[in-house]
Amino acid sequence: MSKLIVKRIYDKDLPAGYRILIDRVWPRGMSKVRAQLDLWAKQIAPSADLRKWFSHDPEKFPEFTKKYRAELDANEATPEFIKSVKSALNDQDVLLLYGSKEQTYNNAAVLSKYLEEKLK
């Protein structure tokens, strides 16, 4: 059974799978060749305003989660994104890749839970 895997794009030895960058901004210092992306889903990332407001502050994470989920629900790109993730999961693991140094309180944590709920 294929699964969703959340990883930092800078990690060494990323597992094989369908690679999706889920950040709106390209990760600093990362070449497109090294990234080996299958999809850059910048339209699914948090809005610039929400990202700047949150600024990876753990105290703001619960409110960030609510606001980002509301953005995902209202985003016309979300249904197609979910469909593409579901399709990729039929054949392989799907890697949700992010650039942040913050590995707990980030958009990938919210998006992975959101996708798991929607893919049931």
Side-chain angles (χ1 to χ4, degrees), residues 1-107:
M1 177 78 182
S2 300
K3 60 190 175 290
L4 280 176
I5 300 170
V6 176
K7 289 284 187 182
R8 189 164 183 251
I9 196 164
Y10 299 106
D11 288 353
K12 302 274 188 255
D13 302 322
L14 289 172
Y18 188 80
R19 299 164 65 106
I20 306 172
L21 177 63
I22 56 168
D23 289 341
R24 190 170 298 275
V25 178
W26 187 261
R28 185 173 291 148
M30 176 63 60
S31 72
K32 295 210 186 318
V33 171
R34 186 167 157 230
Q36 298 178 329
L37 296 181
D38 294 293
L39 176 64
W40 181 10
K42 57 185 157 195
Q43 75 283 4
I44 219 74
S47 66
D49 288 344
L50 180 56
R51 187 172 49 82
K52 287 174 186 163
W53 168 82
F54 172 48
S55 191
H56 299 288
D57 179 347
E59 290 185 15
K60 291 181 178 176
F61 190 68
E63 187 64 20
F64 169 77
T65 298
K66 281 186 219 156
K67 289 179 176 185
Y68 182 32
R69 290 179 68 97
E71 283 187 359
L72 288 167
D73 286 340
N75 188 337
E76 61 188 34
T78 299
E80 189 59 39
F81 177 73
I82 293 169
K83 199 186 311 182
S84 66
V85 169
K86 188 174 190 172
S87 175
L89 281 168
N90 287 330
D91 303 318
Q92 59 194 319
D93 290 343
V94 171
L95 280 68
L96 299 178
L97 301 171
Y98 65 93
S100 172
K101 289 179 184 170
E102 173 53 65
Q103 297 187 36
T104 304
Y105 304 105
N106 62 43
N107 60 310

